[in-house]
Amino acid sequence: MPAHGQNFHQRTAEKSDLPGFCPFLRLVQRIALLLFLSKSILAVEEHWSFKPLIRPPVPEVRSGGALVRNAIDAFVISRQRDFQLGPSPEADRRTLIRRVYFDLAGLPPTPEEVESFLKDTRPDAYERVVDHLLDSPQLGERWARHWLDVVRFSETHGFEMNNPRPNAWPYRDYVIRAFNEDKPYDRFILEQIAGDQLGVDEATGFLVAGAWDQVKSPDEVLTKNQRADELHDIVSTTASAFLGLTVGCARCHDHKFDPISQKDYYAMKAIFAGVQHGERERHDSAAAEREKQAESMEMDLHRVIEQLIAFEALAQSGPVIDTNHLRAAVHPRMNVERFPPIAATRLRFTISATADGSEPCLDELEVFTAAGTSLSRTNIALASFGTRASASGTYAGSEKHRLEHINDGRYGNSRSWISNERGRGWVELQFPRAVTIDRILWARDREEQFKDRLAVDYKIEVLGEGGDWNLVSSSADRRPYKTGETFAADYETNRLSPEFDRFRVLLEKCDQLNASLKKLRTRAMVYAGRFEEPEPTHRLNRGDPMQPREIVEPGVLSAFVGGAAGGAGICSGFRREGERRLAFARWIASTKNPLTARVIVNRLWQYHFAAGLVSTPSDFGRNGAKPSHPELLDWLASELMSPRLSASAPWSLKHIHRLIATSATYRQSSERRPEGMAADADARLLWCYPSHRLDAEVLRDSILSVAGKLDLRSGGPGWSPFEPNENYVRVYVPKTEFGPGDFRRMVYATAVRQRPEGVFGVFDCPDGGQIAPKRTRSTTPLQALNLLNSGFMMQASEFFAQRLEREVARPELRIKRAYKLAFNREPSEDELDRSVTFINNADLRLFCRALFNANEFAYVF
């Protein structure tokens, strides 16, 4: 291997600045590059997954119609015959309906659904069950969990702080909705990479679903490495999820196995260089109507405020003489300064103290022209009128607290100005021309979420046309500020008059309008990334951000489009960052891409049969496994893109689900035959259905379903399996007691990075730290102990027993009902006798717990 992991091309590039050697070394560089490209193109032609996708003919199999229900069976049987094997008989109907329910919906069928199926004598009874499940909302909830594993989705940031992402859940709901609606898979790809360009904001949650280090540092090396790691995560996940390639291996050098150069890696990195972790506004179809309502409500609010202002006393600009009639104390929500009309070219608000001694904050400074002027009752302070703002200083490093927010017409802490000095600071407004003003409105936070940083000692001056500064208002004639004082307190104390009732009515109406306006104007946010135009992307020597080399243009994998020029050409001509991402997504989703369809149909096959046709689902490169049934894989991929014998639309995942679930291969018995075990112990040739344990989520949801407590409400913010905490560095302690709010499906559980759920997390749940294209299936003592003795299982067993007592009176009938609910069958006579004896010696709750711990409950056969 070359020194320090470098290849020959890189090492010569590093020496190209040596005098006297430049022409020779540049020639060597060009020859090396041509050799690499020719080698890459040859590798693309040779490796099975890089070859163009050609639909193979379906093998002819003469073995009786019952064994071949669709093309899948023909390919499987043809492959089995190479090893002198044949398929197993079809599973009994109770086993079959239980299997397909767990597979497609992630829940057991009810006893009533089983009985209905058993009584249905129509030839297509089973196909009707499959169609019912494909149309059920539970399909998306089941299969979204698989995709969320692939894309490392979680609702916390990870790293040492591991803070929550409260608005990450819309991406999870988007995936569920996409599978339920059978969104074409090519469109699914486009939206996840460039949904902001297609009106699907939440879909780009895919890009930033990974971990994010919140702790920043002034150290340049650390900062650049953090950013490089963020983009590496996006590049690697995009390539592995959609293409089944380990592009991330080319970060420091050319890929050692696949035709992916280091330049290819940085071309992909350039595609995503404008993606930043964070939230952005989520638009929807009703946004325009809400804004229209808000504008009308805002006019009503201004009219009410105008009437309220009439109750305000004029400020005493000189020495305070009348101490018996001081103005109201300042309030975080709103303060009015009224004074006689005065001409002004500038206005300065100077703060000398705050209530808590911290840096003062103003969410908006409004200056209104006097009545009777040409701009009567106009907020002349707005930047849109040409007014310019300046300040003594501004709080550094914050997007929320900026000087331009002081007069942008938007209220609230998130659009405010904060001084950079504790307890003091000034803001000045320069009007475009001299104006006559008579009132000022200001607040710390009109949304009243924050009450700190409130100015309590201040003065307001205006500059006249003559060049003199004049004091128009100050805090000198206000009552002292008291924390927590209501907005109307001063009026109630100092303005007891027949007019006070009218003031109270206006104030209540103002509060109502403010609350309604806030609700209308509250922007729905989603953790789906922020996008900005990036700086040029450089190839980094050895992947080191401190060793930038030549600029690399955005592009795709060059070997798959006929060389380096072709790779860059796919994304060239697009100036905007979002357009480049969309062009890249279209390349991935193209029917000409040899990898995309192969990768996704293999993922579907894996989750139906517990193993993929390719056992390395996110690595279709040279270092990955070869397919067990290459012709079947290509046939399924072709069928996904261009279904021939069905009315399904192209790229329909439900079409592939239906083909698999209705095939004779899927409907086989799971009984292990001696000749099959001798030739193929892992059943990779599918001579029987491979039985397997339920996934953690399905196991938990099934327990709640059988106990009669599963809440099937869908969508929205999830439930947390952890005790609430607000620590700066989060510590996640699993709950030991659960209430109705915790009984939704596990896909809606808030996914915490680095901390699995307390009971079922030990059943091989990924933690979101890395992609999990294939879950392990371990057997550990903790699994047995959690399923037997955890608080959740004790509670679920109690619920199950209560359900049986509520639904059935006689003990024998309760046992039969329990078997039907848990195993979808009647107990044998021996099981019935033993169960009666057990319940008499113990109790019904222990019996229910024993059923939950049976292999028959936890496994799919």
Side-chain angles (χ1 to χ4, degrees):
M1 182 180 291
H4 306 295
Q6 289 180 293
N7 58 33
F8 176 74
H9 170 58
Q10 289 173 295
R11 286 183 288 125
T12 54
E14 301 307 314
K15 297 179 181 179
S16 61
D17 294 332
L18 295 176
F21 288 89
C22 289
F24 172 73
L25 289 177
R26 285 173 184 164
L27 177 61
V28 171
Q29 272 186 273
R30 291 173 183 173
I31 294 172
L33 180 59
L34 289 172
L35 288 173
F36 176 80
L37 289 176
S38 61
K39 180 181 176 182
S40 297
I41 295 169
L42 183 62
V44 168
E45 291 175 351
E46 290 178 348
H47 189 59
W48 68 268
S49 70
F50 302 158
K51 293 179 180 178
L53 187 55
I54 300 173
R55 188 186 187 96
V58 178
E60 292 186 11
V61 177
R62 297 178 184 177
S63 57
L67 296 177
V68 180
R69 295 182 180 275
N70 60 39
I72 289 174
D73 304 321
F75 283 105
V76 170
I77 293 172
S78 176
R79 181 78 169 130
Q80 288 170 354
R81 287 181 175 175
D82 293 340
F83 295 83
Q84 289 76 53
L85 289 173
S88 294
E90 185 167 298
D92 67 83
R93 300 191 88 187
R94 288 184 188 274
T95 299
L96 202 53
I97 189 172
R98 185 174 171 85
R99 179 190 299 170
V100 77
Y101 260 77
F102 279 132
D103 203 11
L104 293 179
L107 293 171
T110 65
E112 294 72 25
E113 287 168 330
V114 173
E115 291 306 313
S116 175
F117 175 59
L118 294 178
K119 292 176 181 178
D120 192 344
T121 58
R122 290 173 292 186
D124 63 343
Y126 173 75
E127 284 78 3
R128 289 172 180 267
V129 171
V130 172
D131 288 339
H132 165 71
L133 292 171
L134 290 175
D135 289 336
S136 76
Q138 280 71 54
L139 175 85
E141 292 171 338
R142 168 63 171 145
W143 284 81
R145 182 64 264 170
H146 297 317
W147 185 254
L148 297 177
D149 282 1
V150 170
V151 304
R152 82 289 189 224
F153 173 78
S154 183
E155 293 172 81
T156 64
H157 291 308
F159 290 91
E160 63 267 36
M161 292 177 67
N162 208 14
N163 283 329
R165 295 175 179 172
N167 292 314
W169 61 265
Y171 174 72
R172 174 248 293 151
D173 281 5
Y174 161 79
V175 176
I176 292 172
R177 191 167 60 250
F179 286 138
N180 279 334
E181 295 173 353
D182 198 20
K183 187 183 291 289
Y185 183 66
D186 58 344
R187 179 72 182 188
F188 187 56
I189 294 170
L190 298 185
E191 290 177 353
Q192 289 182 92
I193 296 176
D196 56 307
Q197 303 294 302
L198 303 170
V200 193
D201 289 298
E202 62 270 31
T204 56
F206 161 82
L207 296 173
V208 291
W212 178 53
D213 191 354
Q214 290 177 280
V215 181
K216 303 304 179 186
S217 167
D219 181 74
E220 182 186 14
V221 177
L222 178 59
T223 300
K224 288 188 174 182
N225 273 288
Q226 283 179 318
R227 180 59 180 155
D229 288 344
E230 290 170 13
L231 292 174
H232 178 76
D233 170 66
I234 297 172
V235 169
S236 298
T237 304
T238 302
S240 65
F242 298 121
L243 301 173
L245 291 177
T246 55
V247 172
C249 293
R251 179 178 181 178
C252 305
H253 49 71
D254 293 342
H255 202 291
K256 297 303 180 184
F257 302 98
D258 299 330
I260 303 169
S261 67
Q262 189 190 23
K263 184 176 180 182
D264 283 343
Y265 172 89
Y266 287 97
M268 275 188 67
K269 181 179 175 181
I271 295 287
F272 300 111
V275 180
Q276 299 282 348
H277 273 264
E279 295 183 347
R280 70 174 191 277
E281 186 177 341
R282 178 160 59 104
H283 299 88
D284 57 45
S285 57
E289 181 59 30
R290 286 201 306 272
E291 183 58 31
K292 186 177 179 181
Q293 293 176 27
E295 289 175 359
S296 174
M297 196 172 293
E298 202 168 47
M299 293 174 64
D300 294 340
L301 179 61
H302 283 311
R303 284 192 285 268
V304 173
I305 290 175
E306 188 69 26
Q307 295 175 67
L308 278 171
I309 288 174
F311 285 86
E312 280 284 350
L314 292 176
Q316 301 180 44
S317 58
V320 178
I321 300 173
D322 188 357
T323 57
N324 294 321
H325 293 87
L326 295 176
R327 290 193 297 153
V330 293
H331 193 275
R333 193 179 78 182
M334 188 173 74
N335 300 283
V336 179
E337 312 288 342
R338 290 183 64 212
F339 42 84
I342 186 171
T345 58
R346 297 190 184 197
L347 179 143
R348 180 181 292 171
F349 192 121
T350 304
I351 299 166
S352 302
T354 56
D356 61 351
S358 59
E359 298 90 343
C361 176
L362 298 175
D363 77 339
E364 186 77 5
L365 186 56
E366 299 178 290
V367 182
F368 289 89
T369 52
T373 63
S374 59
L375 294 173
S376 179
R377 295 291 177 259
T378 298
N379 177 16
I380 195 64
L382 289 169
S384 57
F385 277 96
T387 296
R388 292 185 295 176
S390 57
S392 56
T394 300
Y395 197 83
S398 173
E399 289 297 315
K400 294 180 180 179
H401 310 300
R402 304 174 64 163
L403 177 60
E404 56 262 37
H405 295 166
I406 196 70
N407 62 337
D408 64 355
R410 296 175 66 179
Y411 303 145
N413 179 73
S414 60
R415 301 284 298 186
S416 62
W417 166 82
I418 293 182
S419 171
N420 64 343
E421 298 179 81
R422 294 184 65 82
R424 57 186 298 175
W426 56 261
V427 175
E428 185 175 304
L429 299 177
Q430 181 177 348
F431 307 126
R433 61 182 181 278
V435 289
T436 301
I437 61 175
D438 66 356
R439 70 184 58 175
I440 296 164
L441 268 62
W442 64 275
R444 187 272 179 254
D445 178 14
R446 283 169 173 80
E447 295 176 345
E448 212 170 348
Q449 293 182 356
F450 295 90
K451 298 180 181 180
D452 60 343
R453 305 181 184 278
L454 175 64
V456 294
D457 186 1
Y458 65 89
K459 64 179 180 180
I460 302 175
E461 303 166 288
V462 299
L463 181 66
E465 291 182 285
D468 297 324
W469 285 97
N470 300 299
L471 179 70
V472 294
S473 184
S474 74
S475 57
D477 65 337
R478 286 191 181 273
R479 291 179 61 222
Y481 172 72
K482 295 179 182 179
T483 304
E485 192 166 55
T486 63
F487 191 59
D490 280 306
Y491 293 92
E492 197 161 359
T493 302
N494 297 314
R495 311 225 196 301
L496 292 174
S497 70
E499 289 292 311
F500 180 69
D501 287 340
R502 180 168 174 266
F503 173 81
R504 186 189 294 279
V505 170
L506 286 170
L507 192 59
E508 289 176 355
K509 188 173 182 180
C510 181
D511 287 342
Q512 292 169 2
L513 286 169
N514 262 318
S516 299
L517 188 60
K518 180 181 177 181
K519 188 174 180 180
L520 282 172
R521 282 272 167 81
T522 298
R523 303 298 198 267
M525 304 297 288
V526 58
Y527 196 94
R530 295 180 293 103
F531 306 111
E532 55 189 40
E533 293 303 320
E535 296 293 324
T537 297
H538 293 260
R539 182 181 67 82
L540 304 179
N541 179 42
R542 301 179 183 177
D544 183 356
M546 305 310 293
Q547 297 188 53
R549 295 300 185 258
E550 73 277 7
I551 291 176
V552 179
E553 294 298 322
V556 302
L557 303 181
S558 56
F560 293 89
V561 287
I570 296 290
C571 300
S572 64
F574 297 103
R575 298 180 60 185
R576 292 176 56 245
E577 181 270 344
E579 292 174 341
R580 293 194 291 269
R581 277 187 288 112
L582 184 56
F584 178 74
R586 285 181 172 140
W587 171 75
I588 291 178
S590 169
T591 56
K592 295 180 180 179
N593 193 310
L595 290 162
T596 307
R598 284 179 172 129
V599 169
I600 188 58
V601 297
N602 184 67
R603 294 195 194 281
L604 299 186
W605 188 275
Q606 169 185 294
Y607 296 122
H608 279 289
F609 288 101
L613 297 170
V614 178
S615 62
T616 52
S618 286
D619 187 359
F620 273 44
R622 288 181 171 275
N623 214 30
K626 293 182 178 179
S628 59
H629 299 72
E631 294 82 8
L632 173 57
L633 179 65
D634 280 7
W635 185 89
L636 286 170
S638 300
E639 182 68 11
L640 174 67
M641 294 188 292
S642 302
R644 296 283 176 87
L645 300 176
S646 76
S648 298
W651 295 99
S652 166
L653 298 184
K654 283 188 179 182
H655 174 54
I656 303 301
H657 282 306
R658 194 177 194 281
L659 281 171
I660 293 173
T662 58
S663 68
T665 303
Y666 180 83
R667 294 160 70 164
Q668 293 179 98
S669 165
S670 62
E671 184 177 349
R672 297 298 175 111
R673 309 194 319 266
E675 69 274 19
M677 292 295 292
D680 177 28
D682 293 333
R684 290 301 309 280
L685 298 175
L686 299 165
W687 50 270
C688 71
Y689 179 81
S691 58
H692 54 276
R693 194 183 65 209
L694 297 174
D695 287 342
E697 295 85 354
V698 180
L699 184 57
R700 174 196 172 274
D701 294 349
S702 298
I703 290 169
L704 287 175
S705 178
V706 169
K709 288 295 182 178
L710 184 63
D711 181 353
L712 289 175
R713 283 180 300 126
S714 61
W719 62 274
S720 177
F722 300 96
E723 298 290 350
N725 76 93
E726 296 295 332
N727 297 339
Y728 179 70
V729 175
R730 294 302 171 105
V731 178
Y732 293 94
V733 178
K735 288 180 178 177
T736 55
E737 296 182 2
F738 303 88
D742 304 318
F743 295 152
R744 297 177 69 192
R745 295 197 69 174
M746 198 169 170
V747 72
Y748 296 114
T750 300
V752 172
R753 234 176 282 274
Q754 304 171 8
R755 188 65 172 93
E757 190 271 345
V759 179
F760 296 94
V762 298
F763 288 88
D764 306 306
C765 281
D767 73 350
Q770 300 290 332
I771 60 173
K774 182 171 65 173
R775 291 192 183 185
T776 57
R777 294 192 184 276
S778 64
T779 302
T780 69
L782 274 179
Q783 294 168 353
L785 291 171
N786 278 6
L787 208 56
L788 186 66
N789 294 321
S790 66
F792 177 86
M793 293 305 301
M794 298 289 191
Q795 192 175 15
S797 300
E798 177 75 24
F799 290 147
F800 191 11
Q802 290 172 359
R803 177 181 185 178
L804 295 174
E805 291 171 342
R806 186 173 59 251
E807 294 180 0
V808 186
R810 292 172 50 195
E812 293 84 357
L813 294 180
R814 285 175 183 167
I815 293 168
K816 290 183 178 181
R817 179 65 173 166
Y819 267 77
K820 284 185 177 181
L821 286 166
F823 305 145
N824 299 121
R825 66 173 177 84
E826 293 266 4
S828 66
E829 289 187 12
D830 182 59
E831 287 171 330
L832 183 60
D833 291 340
R834 287 173 179 269
S835 298
V836 170
T837 303
F838 181 86
I839 292 171
N840 290 336
N841 292 333
D843 65 17
L844 186 58
R845 284 138 192 84
L846 283 174
F847 169 72
C848 291
R849 188 146 55 108
L851 294 187
F852 284 145
N853 279 267
N855 271 359
E856 188 174 353
F857 185 85
Y859 277 77
V860 180
F861 296 98

